[in-house]
Amino acid sequence: RSKSMTQSAIFEGWVMHRRLRPRHHRFKYRVFCLLLDLEEGPRLGLRLLGWNRPGLFSFQNRDHGDGRPLAVWLNDLLAQAGIEAGGARRVLCYPRILGFVFNPLSAWFCHGADGVLKAVIYEVHNTYDERHAYVLPVSQDARDGPSMADVRATNKIVRHGCAKAFYVSPFLSPDCRYNFRIRPPGEQVAVAINEEEAGAPVLTASFAGKRRALSDGALLGMLLAYPLMTLKVVAAIHFEAVRLMLKGVRRHPHSPKSGQSSAQSPGALELSPRLRHCLV
């Protein structure tokens, strides 16, 4: 592998969502993500990117995982899935910008000691400050994977399939299945999710970006090109939710975790905790 394939980087591109039913709905936004290697990240020495410290841009361990050190959390997930991946750990995610971030999806690329990609962990976040990790192996043979997943890797494209196990959108029922298609980070990266509801295609979501070297100058350029981007991500989620409501798309209420409460009802759009935190 070339050196550029393993370094932390910026990926600038487009997020696209397209809903197929019961109403057609589509949007597309320009964004950028960071690809961060967990070992390399703290040693990058960038003035504009803080690592577990405040900064114009920052990466915070607490934005991912379950509260334990990220290496411990990742090792535990991989061990539970029976996957040996003792090499590099890289995450494709939005950074904090001026202290705020929301990542609908963080993709973790877990490699073996030989550098070969062994697993992808799809860490899904919702706007209720909840998260869930889907741990899926990268294998040439689906029989090597856990029974809950269908796995195939061909021509450097990784494909995964699994049942939905976590509340994300009020406009989708629990009876859903994810079909992931990923081009792992190189000079380009692509993450696409084709979602099925009750066995029929309902939604396509994707991010595709081109690599840029990660530097203070490049980060400053991202700030000028995408000011307050992470705040706009949450605002856009709620804006598109209003559009779907106006189109009459059915809503499914959020069921909070034990000990939490929610005033949300199927007939009204509640501001999520993420957006409320931005407005107060």
Side-chain angles (χ1 to χ4, degrees), residues 74-178:
L74 290 168
N75 287 340
D76 191 29
L77 289 179
L78 293 166
Q80 289 181 37
I83 302 170
E84 295 185 9
R89 311 287 173 77
R90 301 180 297 164
V91 59
L92 184 71
C93 64
Y94 295 138
R96 283 181 174 258
I97 301 178
L98 297 174
F100 181 80
V101 70
F102 175 67
N103 274 288
L105 174 69
S106 303
W108 294 86
F109 300 92
C110 301
H111 298 256
D114 56 1
V116 174
L117 182 64
K118 298 294 186 180
V120 179
I121 298 176
Y122 302 91
E123 186 183 17
V124 181
H125 306 243
N126 67 22
T127 56
Y128 293 88
D129 291 326
E130 299 165 347
R131 61 188 71 148
H132 180 80
Y134 298 90
V135 186
L136 301 176
V138 174
S139 170
Q140 294 294 332
D141 188 338
R143 292 171 298 180
D144 294 339
S147 59
M148 60 83 68
D150 301 321
V151 187
R152 185 158 56 98
T154 57
N155 297 325
K156 299 183 180 179
I157 298 296
V158 176
R159 292 178 173 86
H160 286 132
C162 67
K164 177 181 177 180
F166 175 68
Y167 181 97
V168 178
S169 168
F171 301 100
L172 290 166
S173 75
D175 184 17
C176 288
R177 177 179 176 81
Y178 295 128

Side-chain angles (χ1 to χ4, degrees), residues 120-279:
V120 179
I121 298 176
Y122 302 91
E123 186 183 17
V124 181
H125 306 243
N126 67 22
T127 56
Y128 293 88
D129 291 326
E130 299 165 347
R131 61 188 71 148
H132 180 80
Y134 298 90
V135 186
L136 301 176
V138 174
S139 170
Q140 294 294 332
D141 188 338
R143 292 171 298 180
D144 294 339
S147 59
M148 60 83 68
D150 301 321
V151 187
R152 185 158 56 98
T154 57
N155 297 325
K156 299 183 180 179
I157 298 296
V158 176
R159 292 178 173 86
H160 286 132
C162 67
K164 177 181 177 180
F166 175 68
Y167 181 97
V168 178
S169 168
F171 301 100
L172 290 166
S173 75
D175 184 17
C176 288
R177 177 179 176 81
Y178 295 128
N179 297 298
F180 299 98
R181 184 178 185 273
I182 283 193
R183 181 181 297 277
E187 291 306 312
Q188 298 181 345
V189 69
V191 180
I193 306 171
N194 295 309
E195 190 167 356
E196 299 175 357
E197 185 177 47
V202 64
L203 176 72
T204 297
S206 66
F207 168 70
K210 294 184 178 181
R211 184 186 186 278
R212 294 187 57 177
L214 179 56
S215 67
D216 283 321
L219 287 172
L220 183 59
M222 293 298 100
L223 182 67
L224 296 176
Y226 308 96
L228 302 179
M229 182 190 72
T230 51
L231 178 58
K232 291 177 180 177
V233 167
V234 175
I237 289 171
H238 288 79
F239 173 72
E240 299 299 339
V242 170
R243 292 181 63 197
L244 285 171
M245 287 179 64
L246 294 175
K247 292 181 178 182
V249 179
R250 178 190 174 191
R251 298 187 63 235
H252 303 268
H254 174 247
S255 298
K257 293 180 179 179
S258 177
Q260 294 181 338
S261 62
S262 173
Q264 182 177 355
S265 66
L269 178 65
E270 177 192 304
L271 291 180
S272 71
R274 278 288 175 183
L275 189 57
R276 289 201 304 271
H277 292 168
C278 300
L279 297 177

Side-chain angles (χ1 to χ4, degrees), residues 6-8 36-47 49-53 88 214:
T6 58
Q7 288 180 327
S8 299
L36 298 172
D37 182 285
L38 289 190
E39 289 191 6
E40 181 184 54
R43 302 193 300 268
L44 288 172
L46 298 174
R47 288 176 292 178
L49 178 64
W51 195 274
N52 287 320
R53 62 175 175 81
L214 179 56

